[in-house]
Amino acid sequence: MTASEGDHQHPPPGSPLLDPRVLRELAEDVGAPAAASFAREFAGMWPRRRTALARALAHDDADGAMEAVLSMRVSSAMVGARRLEELAAQLETSLRTRGLAGAAPFVDDVEHCGEQTAHALSTQSDSGHLPW
């Protein structure tokens, strides 16, 4: 195990993919249709966010990588994507402290979790099973 792998901390096992309380609170604030629309938009935007991060990393663009990860973290928090929010926060910290090289241990986890999250939100919003 390398030093960077040893520093890589996965989200706690109990970290939920989605926190339904966040979407319920959003629905209370803006209405259920708007909250459902936000969940669908999050899912629809995931491929662009993933691509933006990958492109920035491939082109050694530290500012672009930070912009992409901040977009992931903030939007994840707003939709209750708790696990993705935590992974994005870890990636952000690593980018800030170790630069682009610090991103490598997190990218696969972020991409995998983002796919799971987008699928779950898309499925739930399409089927009308969002938590309200």
Side-chain angles (χ1 to χ4, degrees), residues 10-17 83 86:
H10 294 276
S15 180
L17 186 65
R83 193 176 309 158
E86 290 174 6

Side-chain angles (χ1 to χ4, degrees), residues 20-108:
R21 295 173 297 175
V22 175
L23 277 176
R24 276 196 297 273
E25 290 173 10
L26 183 62
E28 289 171 8
D29 290 344
V30 301
S37 176
F38 186 77
R40 281 190 301 276
E41 287 178 26
F42 179 93
M45 289 286 297
W46 172 250
R48 283 180 254 166
R49 287 187 174 107
R50 180 191 65 230
T51 299
L53 177 61
R55 185 176 294 131
L57 294 173
H59 291 98
D60 293 326
D61 178 2
D63 290 337
M66 186 60 72
E67 182 178 322
V69 78
L70 288 172
S71 174
M72 285 179 188
R73 186 177 59 78
V74 170
S75 61
S76 295
M78 291 175 66
V79 79
R82 191 66 64 215
R83 193 176 309 158
L84 184 57
E85 176 188 1
E86 290 174 6
L87 283 168
Q90 290 175 1
L91 175 53
E92 176 189 356
T93 298
S94 190
L95 283 168
R96 288 187 192 285
T97 59
R98 299 195 331 235
L100 290 170
F106 298 95
V107 174
D108 288 344

Side-chain angles (χ1 to χ4, degrees), residues 1-10 98 101-102 104-106:
M1 181 183 315
T2 68
S4 66
E5 287 171 331
D7 293 343
H8 180 180
Q9 297 176 3
H10 294 276
R98 299 195 331 235
F106 298 95

